[in-house]
Amino acid sequence: MIADKIIEAKDVSKWYGTFRVLTDINLTVGKGERIVICGPSGSGKSTLIRCFNRLEAHQEGEIIVNGIRLHNRMRNVAEVRKHVGMVFQQFNLFPHMTVLMNCMVGPMWIKGVPEAAARKTALRFLERVRIPEQANKYPVRLSGGQQQRVAIARSLCMEPAVMLFDEPTSSLDPEMVAEVLETMTSLARDGMTMVCVTHEMGFARAVADRVLFMDSGRIVEEGKPQDFFTNPRHERTKLFLSQILSH
Amino acid sequence: MLYPDTVESEVLVHKPWFVVSIFAVVLALCLISNLTGTAMGELMRPVIGDPLQSGFYGRFAIALFIAVSFCLNVVLIGFAPLKVQIAVVWLETLLLFIAFSTTFNLSLPFIWEKLPFLITQGLVTTIYISAISIFFASLIAIVAAVAKLSNNGFAYAIASFYTSFFRGMPLLMQVYLIYLGLPQLGFLIDAVPAGVLALSLCVGAYMTEIFRSGILSIDRGQWEASRSMGFGFSLTMRKIILPQALPIIIPPMGNMFIAMLKDSSLVSAIGVWELTFLARTLGQSTFNHMEMLITAAVIYWLMSICLELIQSRIERHFARSKAR
Ligand SMILES: Nc1ncnc2c1ncn2[C@@H]1O[C@H](COP(=O)(O)OP(=O)(O)OP(=O)(O)O)[C@@H](O)[C@H]1O
Ligand SMILES: [Mg+2]
């Protein structure tokens, strides 16, 4: 049973100075599960998922990722990050490398995969996100949607156990949102474990196993999408949903 | 290039008020500085007679001639395409400089005679001292920049003390301190190594700041993306951050290199036979000071031009991944 838990957070709290960003977060993500986290701006969604690959440190509670406990003095944080893919709102591709190189460097430098094999893997995943023809371009030449799909491919090349998405579509034009969501949906269909921070409720409805609603650093509500959207229990959730679905 | 608008603006040098005002300025300047005694006066002899006897008439005629030809020149250049404009203005300015140096009545044979030695001994020494110093300065700078950015108190303290100390003192003092001070501590040091050491430390201190600001200018997201893939600090620095910081630090580095090439002249103070030292000593016995000084100046200039060309090549190389 333990082996099936990819991420386990127990009573996690985090402060920025005296400001409590996360309060007693409890969350378990099983293998193959798709979790969507939503909530108002500043509620701590990004902070939470950034704790899962230790881009942020938590101060209280326990986070176990892929069987490794995250803490201040850990020496094997790279071991964790190797298995946790992350996709950012701002793509954060490496602008001085071609798209192909962006996808190859992870496996080559971290896993010691030989160049030819890395190239093959990279091309396979670029095809998977349907932009193999852009492989030799530099990232600035690509549209936002294409860049984000490259970023997804870059993470996939590491063959991660879980993918974290931090508002992957928030900085994209509407038609590009669709292409990125499509990619993410197909990933989900293939059984990838995913934790997505997003406000794309259509996506949440279609692929999520569970939807979490956060407010002021707490998980206020958690449920299957159909329950979550049709009869939310908390006032705060209702308000949020009415705002976000009203237009 | 600045941002070019798609609407062509009026050519400034074709606006009457502009032409009239530069005409007035040039005329006034030439009137104030009496040019009758100079080569200009000789040139105008057919019109004004004996320049020294011509009085205000001669003075005015010369000023008018210069002002008219200057304005005509400016207006005509305004019609030429960009590249031609640049070439013509460069050429004219250069000619003016040459005309200026001929006023010293330089002895060309003397220059030809001394030039080979000036190059084989002076120029070569200058170049190798500069090259070695730049190499060490870069090494020092990168280490000090990382130390200054680290949260290790010890490293930060050492690095900031270093930059503060060596940026805060005249290079000449450092040259003396190292050359004369180190032997006091029991390290005998030759002039050339002492010069190289002083230059490396001083330039390294300035470069530290260039590197530091270059590293800081890289978006946080690059660190996050790199770390989130499991890359360690050193890998991130070497393969992700520095390659991106490089194009940003190239222009200030080019500046630094050019400045340092010329600052290397300060090691002449401790008797290293580099360009400036030779320029000062070779002309001394025969009182041909100006010949050697101007020759050395031109050699420094030519070397700087080489560095500028190299810099612009590198900049063009890096423009590749930025181009849309
Ligand atoms: N480095 C920091 N120092 C201090 N406070 C911070 C820092 N980073 C984030 N915060 C604060 O923590 C809170 C949670 O931030 P977080 O980025 O997790 O919110 P979010 O839910 O992702 O919001 P958004 O939808 O705008 O991305 C915010 O109030 C923010 O101001
Ligand atoms: Mg956020």
Side-chain angles (χ1 to χ4, degrees):
Chain A
M1 200 51 213
I2 301 277
D4 286 333
K5 291 179 187 167
I6 305 277
I7 297 175
E8 201 176 0
K10 277 190 226 143
D11 300 321
V12 172
S13 293
K14 172 174 177 61
W15 286 262
Y16 279 123
T18 55
F19 173 61
R20 193 166 190 175
V21 203
L22 297 178
T23 309
D24 299 329
I25 300 285
N26 281 292
L27 173 65
T28 308
V29 181
K31 195 167 164 46
E33 251 193 312
R34 274 90 52 172
I35 312 268
V36 164
I37 303 177
C38 59
S41 181
S43 55
K45 309 174 298 282
S46 302
T47 310
L48 178 62
I49 69 163
R50 288 156 61 89
C51 282
F52 293 156
N53 64 351
R54 197 71 192 178
L55 280 183
E56 301 281 356
H58 60 283
Q59 277 93 32
E60 256 178 33
E62 192 171 53
I63 300 179
I64 298 174
V65 175
N66 222 11
I68 302 175
R69 197 169 73 86
L70 307 184
H71 59 94
N72 284 337
R73 319 190 88 89
M74 60 190 306
R75 291 288 166 265
N76 52 352
V77 66
E79 191 57 35
V80 174
R81 289 174 178 162
K82 200 158 104 174
H83 297 292
V84 181
M86 182 146 197
V87 176
F88 300 86
Q89 182 176 347
Q90 301 301 338
F91 329 138
N92 293 343
L93 292 176
F94 304 132
H96 57 303
M97 300 175 182
T98 60
V99 163
L100 188 63
M101 271 313 274
N102 262 282
C103 296
M104 286 164 63
V105 288
M108 275 161 60
W109 295 346
I110 295 299
K111 297 185 170 173
V113 176
E115 190 174 338
R119 180 186 307 272
K120 238 174 96 183
T121 317
L123 282 172
R124 182 155 59 88
F125 282 111
L126 284 175
E127 226 152 283
R128 178 87 169 61
V129 299
R130 289 182 293 104
I131 34 175
E133 70 281 357
Q134 313 284 358
N136 291 314
K137 288 193 184 162
Y138 283 93
V140 279
R141 303 236 174 161
L142 272 53
S143 72
Q146 290 172 323
Q147 288 193 42
Q148 193 60 295
R149 285 184 286 150
V150 172
I152 294 174
R154 175 175 73 175
S155 289
L156 290 177
C157 285
M158 298 289 284
E159 302 185 328
V162 55
M163 289 277 283
L164 307 174
F165 293 85
D166 189 359
E167 307 204 24
T169 55
S170 300
S171 56
L172 296 176
D173 291 342
E175 68 265 43
M176 298 177 184
V177 170
E179 66 188 49
V180 170
L181 287 181
E182 211 172 290
T183 307
M184 290 170 61
T185 309
S186 93
L187 264 186
R189 298 256 178 278
D190 291 358
M192 173 60 77
T193 314
M194 297 161 68
V195 180
C196 311
V197 174
T198 182
H199 291 145
E200 296 295 334
M201 290 306 143
F203 172 78
R205 232 186 269 261
V207 307
D209 296 314
R210 267 186 295 155
V211 181
L212 271 58
F213 175 71
M214 283 184 74
D215 188 32
S216 329
R218 289 171 199 274
I219 296 179
V220 177
E221 182 145 0
E222 178 175 355
K224 293 195 181 309
Q226 60 267 37
D227 304 334
F228 182 86
F229 289 113
T230 46
N231 48 15
R233 276 164 293 151
H234 292 265
E235 283 309 313
R236 191 67 191 82
T237 322
K238 284 176 193 159
L239 183 64
F240 177 76
L241 284 177
S242 70
Q243 278 167 349
I244 205 167
L245 297 176
S246 64
H247 37 246
Chain B
M1 284 266 174
L2 300 176
Y3 179 79
D5 208 338
T6 50
V7 180
E8 278 182 30
S9 55
E10 258 182 278
V11 182
L12 183 66
V13 294
H14 291 168
K15 287 185 180 155
W17 66 264
F18 182 80
V19 178
V20 168
S21 30
I22 49 171
F23 181 83
V25 169
V26 174
L27 191 71
L29 282 179
C30 294
L31 275 179
I32 293 168
S33 56
N34 189 356
L35 296 171
T36 46
T38 65
M40 253 344 269
E42 285 304 314
L43 210 67
M44 296 284 285
R45 189 181 276 276
V47 186
I48 59 175
D50 183 3
L52 295 179
Q53 305 297 317
S54 59
F56 185 77
Y57 166 67
R59 202 160 149 177
F60 183 79
I62 292 173
L64 189 69
F65 175 73
I66 293 181
V68 167
S69 41
F70 188 83
C71 288
L72 207 62
N73 181 34
V74 165
V75 171
L76 286 182
I77 288 175
F79 285 110
L82 183 71
K83 290 235 164 94
V84 178
Q85 284 181 346
I86 296 173
V88 169
V89 174
W90 254 86
L91 210 70
E92 286 180 351
T93 324
L94 200 62
L95 284 176
L96 281 181
F97 172 73
I98 293 173
F100 169 70
S101 29
T102 56
T103 59
F104 293 108
N105 286 322
L106 301 180
S107 141
L108 283 181
F110 182 80
I111 294 182
W112 281 125
E113 182 196 333
K114 299 292 184 189
L115 194 59
F117 186 60
L118 209 55
I119 288 176
T120 52
Q121 170 65 38
L123 179 61
V124 168
T125 310
T126 291
I127 288 181
Y128 92 69
I129 287 185
S130 305
I132 297 177
S133 303
I134 281 172
F135 175 74
F136 283 118
S138 308
L139 283 189
I140 295 173
I142 191 110
V143 173
V146 171
K148 261 191 129 168
L149 290 171
S150 78
N151 45 17
N152 180 332
F154 183 75
Y156 177 84
I158 296 278
S160 55
F161 183 87
Y162 158 69
T163 50
S164 162
F165 187 83
F166 282 96
R167 286 203 303 170
M169 256 197 286
L171 179 52
L172 191 58
M173 306 290 171
Q174 294 168 24
V175 173
Y176 280 134
L177 274 184
I178 288 175
Y179 186 55
L180 304 175
L182 282 189
Q184 305 259 347
L185 301 178
F187 299 101
L188 279 181
I189 190 162
D190 278 340
V192 170
V196 168
L197 190 58
L199 279 172
S200 309
L201 287 171
C202 181
V203 174
Y206 286 100
M207 273 200 208
T208 301
E209 293 302 306
I210 297 177
F211 273 88
R212 193 181 64 91
S213 61
I215 292 171
L216 280 181
S217 69
I218 302 305
D219 182 34
R220 237 185 109 75
Q222 291 293 311
W223 281 99
E224 288 177 352
S226 176
R227 298 315 286 266
S228 78
M229 288 176 75
F231 299 162
F233 174 81
S234 147
L235 197 59
T236 304
M237 202 66 185
R238 279 184 295 124
K239 302 284 195 168
I240 308 294
I241 304 300
L242 283 183
Q244 293 184 58
L246 215 52
I248 298 169
I249 64 181
I250 289 289
M253 285 286 269
N255 235 359
M256 202 69 242
F257 282 15
I258 289 174
M260 130 133 225
L261 188 71
K262 291 168 301 165
D263 284 349
S264 70
S265 62
L266 286 174
V267 303
S268 65
I270 52 175
V272 178
W273 281 31
E274 47 69 78
L275 201 49
T276 303
F277 183 85
L278 291 182
R280 277 209 326 237
T281 46
L282 284 181
Q284 230 152 32
S285 51
T286 48
F287 296 105
N288 287 328
H289 293 294
M290 256 328 187
E291 277 82 353
M292 286 295 98
L293 287 185
I294 287 189
T295 313
V298 169
I299 293 179
Y300 275 118
W301 187 14
L302 288 177
M303 281 195 289
S304 304
I305 289 177
C306 289
L307 285 181
E308 277 169 20
L309 290 179
I310 294 173
Q311 179 188 339
S312 70
R313 274 203 91 113
I314 298 179
E315 276 178 33
R316 241 178 303 151
H317 169 82
F318 280 122
R320 210 185 35 182
S321 64
K322 282 230 181 69
R324 278 197 151 265

